[in-house]
Amino acid sequence: MGTQVLASAELHVAAAYLLFVALVGVYLAIIRLRFTRATNQAEVLTRLVREDDER
Amino acid sequence: MHAKGLRGLAATTLGAGALATGLIFFYAPTDADQGFVQKIFYLHVPMAIVALCGFVAAAVMAVMHVRSGDRLWDVRSYVAIHLSIILGVGVLATGSIWAKASWGHWWVWDEPTLVSFLIVFLLYCTYQPLRFSIEDPDRQARYASVFAITAGMFVPLNFIAVRMAEAYTHPRVLSTTGGHMPGEMRLTFIVALIAMALLFTTLWRLELAAKGAAARLRHLRRQVEPTPGAGRRFGPAQAPPVAAVPARSSPR
């Protein structure tokens, strides 16, 4: 009985902390994806604008 | 602009997070009444405090926007609300897990603390649909700021109202008696709160940096897109690969 209660408590604590890590992880992955995409596209556009100005 | 010092801040946040985790699981004593489940408290309460402070901070930034007319303040306010909503999801989820373990129920409807937080959370959930239902960028920023200020004033009022409520089963952490926390628990809680505040600041600055990059991209798009009567800036063979990027007037 005591072991079951302990296991249940550990499970709940683990679930709460994992949920938090997952929440932050997903958020970071989305922001990183957006950031990388925007930076890459901005670099391409900057290069094209520079080439066009030189011409 | 916003990325300056972000690396150092992220490293500090990581260090504070590691320290808080160490203190939670290896230093703070197990609660005599609740047992191991009480460890959720070090995550749940700082998240709730930081989320509510984030809403209030967003209101202050919205005031700055209304006063100065600087759109950057509106973007800052928007990001603070966005992050606080995400933390709000975490608060509700971890609170439910704790309630199930401690009370045997996922949710208790007659508990003022739970219901009031849910009301605040749902109120802020209407912010984004309201914001993005307005196309004109200036009107969008103005209306969003008015919403942020009004809702931001509601947060402390709500907090006081809950404190004045007569009966509650939800534990009081920050009360006049200090929540009866022993020294080790109090120290752990403070470190966890600082780590959570640092995490919020880091993510806020990261999202602002991402928005800065997106704004730069929009500016470049305007430079390369054909203007009426002026023809294309680039020939068809040199068309920049930006067709996949949707043009937005909002700081989404």
Side-chain angles (χ1 to χ4, degrees), chain B residues 85-173:
Chain B
I85 289 173
I86 292 168
L87 286 186
V89 172
V91 172
L92 291 170
T94 55
S96 288
I97 291 169
W98 178 85
K100 179 67 180 167
S102 199
W103 298 338
H105 301 283
W106 292 105
W107 188 264
V108 181
W109 282 107
D110 55 1
E111 171 53 48
T113 313
L114 271 65
V115 178
S116 70
F117 191 89
L118 183 67
I119 291 169
V120 169
F121 174 77
L122 291 176
L123 172 70
Y124 276 97
C125 282
T126 63
Y127 173 83
Q128 297 220 2
L130 172 88
R131 183 180 185 104
F132 295 115
S133 65
I134 303 164
E135 284 192 15
D136 177 53
D138 288 329
R139 271 185 66 216
Q140 185 192 85
R142 213 165 46 246
Y143 282 38
S145 290
V146 171
F147 180 99
I149 294 165
T150 316
M153 286 191 296
F154 179 71
V155 172
L157 280 177
N158 192 276
F159 185 79
I160 294 164
V162 168
R163 292 268 151 173
M164 288 168 76
E166 281 182 8
Y168 26 57
T169 45
H170 190 283
R172 302 287 98 187
V173 177

Side-chain angles (χ1 to χ4, degrees), chain B residues 18-39:
Chain B
L19 178 67
T21 309
L23 288 175
I24 290 166
F25 292 106
F26 302 109
Y27 176 71
T30 305
D31 189 78
D33 181 38
Q34 293 185 46
F36 194 68
V37 175
Q38 186 263 348
K39 300 280 182 194

